[in-house]
């Protein structure tokens, strides 16, 4: 049976009517049109669907609406804007990382949370933090360069 959910997304409140076990991913993409986040595996194994819930990265494909509560959701669209990009977004462009782009959301959202708490990470710390993510285009070395560049910009 459908219920009404009030979702705080990127600083705005939205009402979504859906089943309580509907994945947050579907609500954000299909009901709210936030298509930066992607469906990859649907099994919490690739990270393409990552958003922040109360500043922590979560896999929205396996997060039911009933688990969101009053949490504040941030998507890639809330991380930075074309006028004021997040350092990771700037670094991704400067390092020319993207190929097909399908995976970008997961790397940026996961790395943003990591860099917030780790100002001067080593290569190993970055690799460990991002180890649960997938890029089928093989951009991993570019991603590492971009995260290091962003860390330097933020430091
Ligand atoms: S689509 Fe959510 S982790 Fe792959
Ligand atoms: S850039 Fe294509 S999957 Fe990562």
């Amino acid at each position: 049976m459908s219920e009404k959910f009030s979702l705080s997304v990127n600083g705005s409140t939205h009402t979504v009517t859906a089943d309580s076990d509907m994945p947050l991913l579907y609500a954000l993409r299909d009901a709210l049109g936030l298509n930066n986040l992607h469906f990859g595996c649907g099994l919490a194994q690739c990270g393409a669907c990552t958003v922040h819930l109360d500043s922590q990265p979560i896999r929205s494909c396996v997060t039911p609406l009933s688990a969101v509560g009053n949490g504040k959701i941030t998507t890639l669209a809330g991380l930075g804007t074309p006028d004021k990009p997040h350092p990771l977004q700037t670094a991704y462009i400067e390092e020319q990382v993207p190929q097909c782009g399908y995976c970008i959301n997961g790397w940026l959202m996961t790395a943003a949370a990591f860099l917030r708490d780790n100002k001067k990470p080593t290569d190993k710390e970055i690799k460990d933090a991002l180890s649960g993510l997938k890029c089928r285009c093989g951009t991993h070395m570019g991603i590492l360069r971009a995260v290091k560049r962003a860390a330097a910009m933020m430091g």
Side-chain angles (χ1 to χ4, degrees):
M1 194 174 96
S2 292
E3 299 174 39
K4 282 192 176 177
F5 293 89
S6 180
L7 300 178
S8 170
V9 185
N10 299 333
S12 299
T13 302
H14 303 269
T15 301
V16 173
T17 303
D19 288 348
S20 62
D21 60 354
M22 180 183 187
L24 176 61
L25 170 64
Y26 299 168
L28 295 174
R29 276 190 63 90
D30 300 342
L32 303 184
L34 293 164
N35 54 14
N36 293 126
L37 57 160
H38 289 147
F39 181 95
C41 62
L43 298 168
Q45 292 181 358
C46 74
C49 63
T50 303
V51 299
H52 293 179
L53 180 61
D54 290 333
S55 303
Q56 296 304 315
I58 62 160
R59 306 268 161 110
S60 65
C61 68
V62 293
T63 304
L65 281 174
S66 58
V68 174
N70 295 321
K72 295 192 184 333
I73 299 159
T74 305
T75 71
L76 186 58
L79 201 63
T81 65
D83 289 340
K84 196 175 177 190
H86 187 283
L88 276 165
Q89 292 167 316
T90 300
Y92 242 65
I93 294 169
E94 291 178 346
E95 292 290 347
Q96 299 185 13
V97 179
Q99 295 295 317
C100 78
Y102 202 84
C103 66
I104 291 176
N105 175 74
W107 296 100
L108 292 185
M109 296 306 289
T110 306
F114 170 69
L115 289 181
R116 188 187 59 230
D117 300 328
N118 297 274
K119 302 298 182 201
K120 295 187 186 303
T122 63
D123 285 14
K124 182 177 185 314
E125 288 171 334
I126 295 171
K127 288 177 184 173
D128 286 349
L130 303 180
S131 63
L133 300 165
K134 305 282 187 299
C135 173
R136 297 188 70 169
C137 297
T139 66
H140 302 84
M141 294 312 295
I143 292 165
L144 180 60
R145 287 197 309 273
V147 175
K148 290 166 69 174
R149 181 184 281 252
M153 293 165 68
M154 295 166 74

